Amino acid sequence: MRTQVGIIGAGPAGLLLSRLLTRQGIDNVVLERRSAAYVLGRVRAGVLERGTVELLEEADCAERLHREGLVHRGLQINFDGSSLRIDLAALTGSGVIIYGQTEITRDLMKAREADGSVTLYEAEATAIEDVIGARPRIRYRQGEQDGVLECDFVAGCDGFHGVSRTAIPTTVLTTYERSYPFGWLGVLADVRPCSDELIYASHSDGFALASMRTPTRSRYYIQCPLDIRLDDWPDDRFWEELKRRLGADAAERVTTGPAIEKSIAPLRSFVAEPMQYGRLFLAGDAAHIVPPTGAKGLNLAAADVRVLARALIGYYKQNRTDLLDAYSTQCLSRVWRAERFSWWMTSLLHRFPDADAFARKLQRAEFEHLATSRAAQMALAENYVGLWAERDIP
């Protein structure tokens, strides 16, 4: 099989890139090791920055997003009984939209099916060859059959555990990583959210987050040790601990109900440099991971896709190579700023196992500075709604 751009991974990054290229007449094929049903069954974040929304509009995949998405103009931070609202709209002129990653994936799948785009599901990429040459190849296995996809370029959108990053020699690739000594225990439930905006809470016993997917579906998290067992956390215990950490005002508004999904997510910061090698380009989790505290993972992937789509369109439409050459540098500037913000939010709001009273006092001082400084609030707001300045986009 032959195509212009071979895309590994049918998550939002891979599907969005494919959609943008197809609309410009650039041939592409997506390989995905899982089934379509499995991809749609993954529960992921849903806080969308303005730049991500604009990119979905460009892909003509934002109609349902605008109809069903929840516009948030602010967020709330609770700290040991004190509460602060960050007015995103007043500080930046923008807000965020709550719309689940599963729904973005569904919209992209539907659009690509309508335009006849090719996705090979349950086709696992096993090797990427000759990315330094002019005709890279992706070897894959689908069922009992082995296949080869020849292409001009390879886009590795296959996540942290995918094959794409391993195709960059260790002599070229440098990775930076920080693992956090805790995780998030998350519950998805068909209950009314306790707030119209997200609540981030720092309690002496750990972090909690009140979020939502729709007006009738809530997503809640509490910080937890990495070695807990889900069986030790029945629904009643989770709700009790959540309400205690959120604080009295929010707790009164929490509607409890049976969990339709419960999971533990570890927290990690990770960056791989460079994000390109020859004709291979990494995007999304294949190149970087952020703690979910700053709501940056999906948005960073979309930002990568925007830069890569522009570069590939420039190559095929104008015979330009400068945008492709600048891809890694362009993306990493934003990536590291998002890593910094996500680390800062995580450090402010979580209880670290080895932290003493001095460390907690520093967190309190940071919160009080945020509460009394418009400049500090603006810095948080600018990062939260997204750093999508035009100078960052080729």
Side-chain angles (χ1 to χ4, degrees), residues 193-226:
C194 69
S195 172
D196 292 333
E197 297 175 342
L198 270 64
I199 300 175
Y200 292 80
S202 180
H203 186 274
S204 58
D205 288 333
F207 169 79
L209 172 62
S211 183
M212 71 284 290
R213 292 293 177 266
T214 71
T216 59
R217 175 167 289 186
S218 298
R219 185 66 162 161
Y220 291 107
Y221 298 94
I222 59 173
Q223 178 184 342
C224 66
L226 290 169

Side-chain angles (χ1 to χ4, degrees), residues 147-163:
V148 177
L149 177 63
E150 296 182 346
C151 45
D152 299 331
F153 300 97
V154 178
C157 307
D158 50 347
F160 182 77
H161 298 289
V163 71

Side-chain angles (χ1 to χ4, degrees), residues 154-156 164-165 168 172-174 271-288 300-301 303-305 307-308 324 326-336:
V154 178
S164 296
R165 191 175 64 253
I168 301 178
V172 174
L173 191 70
T174 302
V271 180
E273 296 186 5
M275 290 174 57
Q276 64 190 99
Y277 178 67
R279 288 177 172 247
L280 167 65
F281 298 83
L282 305 180
D285 288 0
H288 42 72
L300 268 185
D304 293 345
V305 165
V307 176
L308 184 54
L324 289 169
Y327 172 74
S328 185
T329 301
Q330 287 278 346
C331 291
L332 284 170
S333 174
R334 180 184 292 105
V335 166
W336 278 112

Side-chain angles (χ1 to χ4, degrees), residues 6-17:
I7 302 172
I8 306 175
L15 295 179
L16 181 54
L17 177 62

Side-chain angles (χ1 to χ4, degrees), residues 2-253:
R2 169 84 182 141
T3 190
Q4 290 177 302
V5 181
I7 302 172
I8 306 175
L15 295 179
L16 181 54
L17 177 62
S18 172
R19 175 69 174 167
L20 293 168
L21 296 179
T22 298
R23 286 173 62 80
Q24 293 295 321
I26 299 170
D27 190 40
N28 63 87
V29 172
V30 178
L31 301 176
E32 168 57 49
R33 71 187 186 96
R34 299 288 193 175
S35 67
Y38 182 94
V39 172
L40 282 173
R42 293 189 290 222
V43 178
R44 294 290 188 271
V47 179
L48 305 186
E49 299 172 357
R50 62 176 183 262
T52 301
V53 174
E54 290 167 2
L55 197 59
L56 289 166
E57 291 171 345
E58 183 179 328
D60 195 23
C61 289
E63 179 183 354
R64 195 162 68 96
L65 183 159
H66 286 303
R67 188 172 67 248
E68 300 177 10
L70 307 177
V71 177
H72 283 199
R73 298 172 63 85
L75 60 91
Q76 183 173 318
I77 299 177
N78 294 345
F79 193 99
D80 282 348
S82 301
S83 182
L84 168 67
R85 181 176 184 268
I86 304 295
D87 192 331
L88 300 173
L91 291 163
T92 69
S94 183
V96 295
I97 294 182
I98 306 301
Y99 189 69
Q101 178 172 313
T102 299
E103 303 312 313
I104 294 173
T105 303
R106 193 185 312 277
D107 294 342
L108 288 166
M109 282 183 173
K110 183 178 179 180
R112 293 181 69 259
E113 182 179 355
D115 65 26
S117 298
V118 178
T119 304
L120 301 181
Y121 286 102
E122 298 182 271
E124 182 173 8
T126 56
I128 306 171
E129 300 173 347
D130 201 23
V131 294
I132 296 298
R135 294 289 178 90
R137 296 180 302 277
I138 306 171
R139 296 194 178 275
Y140 65 92
R141 186 166 183 81
Q142 187 176 36
E144 299 300 318
Q145 300 296 317
D146 291 326
V148 177
L149 177 63
E150 296 182 346
C151 45
D152 299 331
F153 300 97
V154 178
C157 307
D158 50 347
F160 182 77
H161 298 289
V163 71
S164 296
R165 191 175 64 253
T166 66
I168 301 178
T170 56
T171 55
V172 174
L173 191 70
T174 302
T175 59
Y176 305 86
E177 185 169 10
R178 171 168 293 180
S179 295
Y180 296 85
F182 43 73
W184 282 9
L185 173 59
V187 160
L188 189 68
D190 282 330
V191 295
R192 181 172 55 86
C194 69
S195 172
D196 292 333
E197 297 175 342
L198 270 64
I199 300 175
Y200 292 80
S202 180
H203 186 274
S204 58
D205 288 333
F207 169 79
L209 172 62
S211 183
M212 71 284 290
R213 292 293 177 266
T214 71
T216 59
R217 175 167 289 186
S218 298
R219 185 66 162 161
Y220 291 107
Y221 298 94
I222 59 173
Q223 178 184 342
C224 66
L226 290 169
D227 58 356
I228 68 166
R229 299 187 315 131
L230 289 177
D231 290 345
D232 293 334
W233 282 86
D235 292 352
D236 289 346
R237 183 184 178 188
F238 176 88
W239 292 119
E240 180 181 350
E241 184 63 20
L242 173 76
K243 290 190 285 186
R244 194 169 67 86
R245 295 190 192 183
L246 286 178
D249 289 345
E252 289 181 359
R253 302 191 300 271

Side-chain angles (χ1 to χ4, degrees), residues 313-343:
I313 293 167
Y315 175 85
Y316 285 109
K317 299 296 185 181
Q318 301 172 309
N319 201 29
R320 295 179 62 178
T321 60
D322 58 316
L323 301 181
L324 289 169
D325 293 340
Y327 172 74
S328 185
T329 301
Q330 287 278 346
C331 291
L332 284 170
S333 174
R334 180 184 292 105
V335 166
W336 278 112
R337 282 180 286 168
E339 292 282 355
R340 184 211 65 81
F341 176 68
S342 301
W343 163 84

